[in-house]
Amino acid sequence: MVKVRMATPVLQQNDEVARENRELFRKKGLFVLNLMSSPGSGKTSILERTIEKLSNRLKLGVIEGDIYTTKDAERIEKFGIPVVQINTAGACHLDARMLQPALDDLDLNGLDFLIVENVGNLVCPAEFDLGEDARAAVLSVAEGNDKPAKYPLVFRESQVVLINKIDLLPYTDCDIDQLEKDLKLINHELKLFRVSARLGQGFEPWVQWLEEQVNLKKKLSASQ
Ligand SMILES: Nc1nc2c(ncn2[C@@H]2O[C@H](COP(=O)(O)OP(=O)(O)O)[C@@H](O)[C@H]2O)c(=O)[nH]1
Ligand SMILES: [Mg+2]
Ligand SMILES: [Zn+2]
């Protein structure tokens, strides 16, 4: 008799580990954000600005996903923020299991929230639940107006889109009002923030939103 083992589909396996991560975050009352975008939209730059605005109020930890380098983690380390690098060794997204050793390395009890910068890729990171509370996508105005229509999943699965590089608007053909309409057509509940990480513009509403989410998660966890 030949023994047959049914393979668990990759995404189903991932969902099981993501549930474990989510349970850990619930216990700790830790708000976790998954930050996604194509390479170069400004994820790390937005993180740097966010740290500047929030680190005197809340304790932030960062997990940096990158295929090979530690460049982004080095940028974050300069701010004195706890940061762990995950090198995916070729994989083009983070998955829930990859997160676990990085979570072991961080002192989660000393943190108010955690931001995970995903691998720069507008496609498959959106398919992998990490156990996070929310997802934020970054879209820069220099990427072309057609990106929401071409890569709808990441915008459908996000709660927030940061429209970055608004300082470059005069030099692009981006119609930002139309871009926002297109994003809302994909997901009408999206919160949209127009920012320039270069100039540090537009960060207050974003940082306020983050702070609200962090406090909400803490309250929720305390009442359980
Ligand atoms: N003009 C302009 N450049 C930006 C802005 N944000 C990021 N950049 C630049 O875009 C490039 C990619 O930024 P980075 O934060 O590394 O993007 P990531 O790959 O998504 O993490 C860098 O050269 C940044 O200096 C912005 O708001 N305006
Ligand atoms: Mg980066
Ligand atoms: Zn991938």
Side-chain angles (χ1 to χ4, degrees):
M1 205 35 185
V2 176
K3 194 170 175 182
V4 179
R5 284 201 177 269
M6 297 299 286
T8 319
V10 171
L11 282 176
Q12 191 181 320
Q13 271 176 29
N14 185 72
D15 283 350
E16 283 162 19
V17 183
R19 263 196 296 278
E20 286 173 21
N21 293 350
R22 187 163 282 117
E23 179 57 17
L24 174 71
F25 303 147
R26 189 191 63 75
K27 276 191 197 139
K28 304 275 178 199
L30 186 72
F31 177 73
V32 180
L33 184 86
N34 183 358
L35 189 61
M36 298 182 287
S37 83
S38 55
S41 311
K43 294 178 296 302
T44 313
S45 306
I46 284 171
L47 260 172
E48 290 170 325
R49 289 292 187 185
T50 304
I51 290 166
E52 280 172 9
K53 308 255 178 223
L54 263 186
S55 59
N56 58 346
R57 289 187 252 166
L58 293 170
K59 291 207 182 73
L60 167 66
V62 172
I63 292 178
E64 282 290 350
D66 198 271
I67 301 181
Y68 298 112
T69 81
T70 55
K71 284 179 186 295
D72 288 352
E74 285 160 24
R75 284 167 65 182
I76 299 304
E77 206 171 33
K78 288 197 181 114
F79 293 84
I81 295 288
V83 55
V84 179
Q85 179 76 53
I86 302 174
N87 279 146
T88 62
C92 48
H93 58 266
L94 292 178
D95 67 32
R97 195 176 295 283
M98 288 180 205
L99 221 60
Q100 292 191 327
L103 293 171
D104 288 340
D105 287 344
L106 286 165
D107 175 16
L108 298 182
N109 293 325
L111 298 180
D112 295 310
F113 73 124
L114 178 66
I115 298 184
V116 181
E117 178 177 342
N118 216 310
V119 176
N121 174 350
L122 217 43
V123 188
C124 46
E127 292 175 16
F128 289 82
D129 185 6
L130 304 179
E132 73 275 41
D133 297 283
R135 294 173 164 196
V138 181
L139 182 63
S140 84
V141 300
E143 282 171 75
N145 295 347
D146 57 355
K147 293 306 167 290
K150 287 177 82 168
Y151 303 98
L153 183 68
V154 64
F155 302 107
R156 200 176 295 135
E157 296 282 323
S158 293
Q159 284 71 46
V160 167
V161 176
L162 292 134
I163 302 177
N164 190 31
K165 308 197 187 183
I166 55 168
D167 57 295
L168 296 182
L169 273 173
Y171 315 104
T172 70
D173 61 356
C174 176
D175 177 345
I176 193 165
D177 294 326
Q178 187 58 49
L179 186 67
E180 288 192 338
K181 279 186 198 145
D182 294 345
L183 285 166
K184 289 276 192 179
L185 271 179
I186 291 169
N187 177 356
H188 70 278
E189 287 178 354
L190 274 177
K191 284 197 88 61
L192 302 175
F193 300 104
R194 298 181 180 189
V195 297
S196 165
R198 167 70 43 90
L199 303 179
Q201 269 175 9
F203 275 79
E204 205 42 51
W206 152 247
V207 158
Q208 262 175 31
W209 179 84
L210 263 179
E211 203 166 11
E212 277 166 26
Q213 306 309 306
V214 171
N215 291 332
L216 221 74
K217 181 76 186 271
K218 277 198 176 145
K219 262 194 210 146
L220 215 73
S221 139
S223 70
Q224 277 169 347

